[in-house]
Amino acid sequence: MSSEIVFYDIPGKSDETKAWSPNTWNIRYALNYKGLKYRTEWVEFPHIESVCKKIGAPATGTKADGVTPYYTLPVIFDPATNTAVADATTIADYLDKTYPSKLLFPPGTRGLFGAFDALSSSIVMSPLFLLVVLPTCHVLNPISFEYFYSTRTTLLGTLEEVAPDGAEKTEKLWNELEAGLAKTASWFKANGNTPFITGDAPSYADIQIAGRLVWAKVVWGKDSKNWSRLRDLDGGRWGKFLDQFDKYSAVDL
């Protein structure tokens, strides 16, 4: 049996957009940072549930009815322990416990990450999601496009109307995102302006920030006006921050 961890990710439709999802990027960064051997299995959205059931990966929530199990990626299957693990943060915990070199959660920080995650999700992820949800559709293969567009339309309404270019409500979302990232930047400054939020080495909190940034970069395009705007916020902090993760960005196509 292969000793490689199997990492399940959702593909984009081109080499440039193959890896796009922020949650799966969190685990790709984590695996690469830890130097673990793995291979990627690419799974389109409509096939996630059947794949998870086949390998014994647990559901990560329930559907709108509050009863039906809901399956999501990322998921890993580790043949060394015959274990399937779902949910990005749960996977990160598993990787630290099973492969404790280069910890994602430095000693004594696991509870602090929970607080960071809750606040960051509110002030950064919420506006960013609305700004990139429609562009995300356009990087997907047709089968996943149909699923993603339909499910997100049910959640948000017509996606073309969520954040149209030049609209006042779009600029309001940008203002919220900029304020959230400025707040996040203040946490780095309070820490002595270190390269990462926990010091000189990345933690899972840093990986989570990078996952969101690379998502925007991929779905908007690295030469786009929107990515340039985000990249240059806070004196260019976020482009420089993401550049630090280039060494952990390998994607097996």
Side-chain angles (χ1 to χ4, degrees):
M1 178 181 292
S2 172
S3 61
E4 291 180 322
I5 291 171
V6 185
F7 167 52
Y8 296 86
D9 198 354
I10 307 160
K13 64 185 180 182
S14 69
D15 287 355
E16 292 75 18
T17 62
K18 187 78 169 187
W20 60 270
S21 166
N23 292 326
T24 58
W25 262 111
N26 290 350
I27 300 309
R28 187 174 296 281
Y29 280 140
L31 291 166
N32 289 334
Y33 173 63
K34 283 179 169 285
L36 298 173
K37 293 182 179 180
Y38 71 95
R39 62 180 174 85
T40 306
E41 289 284 341
W42 299 99
V43 184
E44 300 288 356
F45 268 109
H47 303 152
I48 290 173
E49 180 173 341
S50 62
V51 169
C52 287
K53 288 180 176 179
K54 180 178 179 180
I55 65 172
T60 55
T62 58
K63 295 183 179 180
D65 61 11
V67 176
T68 306
Y70 181 56
Y71 295 86
T72 61
L73 298 186
V75 161
I76 65 166
F77 179 80
D78 186 354
T81 61
N82 196 34
T83 303
V85 190
D87 176 75
T89 304
T90 304
I91 294 170
D93 282 325
Y94 170 86
L95 293 176
D96 266 5
K97 180 179 179 180
T98 312
Y99 305 100
S101 64
K102 291 189 174 180
L103 290 173
L104 303 169
F105 300 103
T109 65
R110 185 60 181 84
L112 290 175
F113 171 76
F116 166 85
D117 183 34
L119 182 55
S120 179
S121 294
S122 173
I123 66 175
V124 174
M125 187 60 168
S126 291
L128 181 61
F129 172 74
L130 295 176
L131 287 167
V132 303
V133 63
L134 181 60
T136 296
C137 293
H138 297 314
V139 306
L140 300 177
N141 290 310
I143 188 172
S144 283
F145 173 93
E146 292 176 11
Y147 177 94
F148 189 90
Y149 188 91
S150 174
T151 55
R152 275 54 181 183
T153 297
T154 299
L155 178 67
L156 300 171
T158 304
L159 297 189
E160 286 80 2
E161 297 177 1
V162 171
D165 288 344
E168 182 178 345
K169 61 181 178 180
T170 304
E171 194 61 27
K172 183 176 183 293
L173 289 172
W174 269 104
N175 291 339
E176 292 174 9
L177 177 60
E178 290 169 3
L181 287 171
K183 181 67 175 178
T184 306
S186 74
W187 302 333
F188 283 82
K189 293 173 184 176
N191 205 35
N193 223 15
T194 54
F196 302 103
I197 205 163
T198 45
D200 293 326
S203 67
Y204 191 66
D206 297 288
I207 284 173
Q208 191 181 71
I209 296 169
R212 292 166 180 173
L213 293 173
V214 74
W215 175 34
K217 181 179 180 180
V218 168
V219 303
W220 277 333
K222 62 184 178 62
D223 298 320
S224 66
K225 177 182 66 175
N226 282 335
W227 170 244
S228 296
R229 179 174 179 176
L230 193 161
R231 178 195 66 202
D232 294 340
L233 293 174
D234 302 302
R237 171 181 292 275
W238 303 114
K240 295 173 186 174
F241 177 81
L242 188 59
D243 286 346
Q244 297 177 106
F245 285 84
D246 284 352
K247 67 183 76 173
Y248 312 123
S249 298
V251 178
D252 50 327
L253 301 175

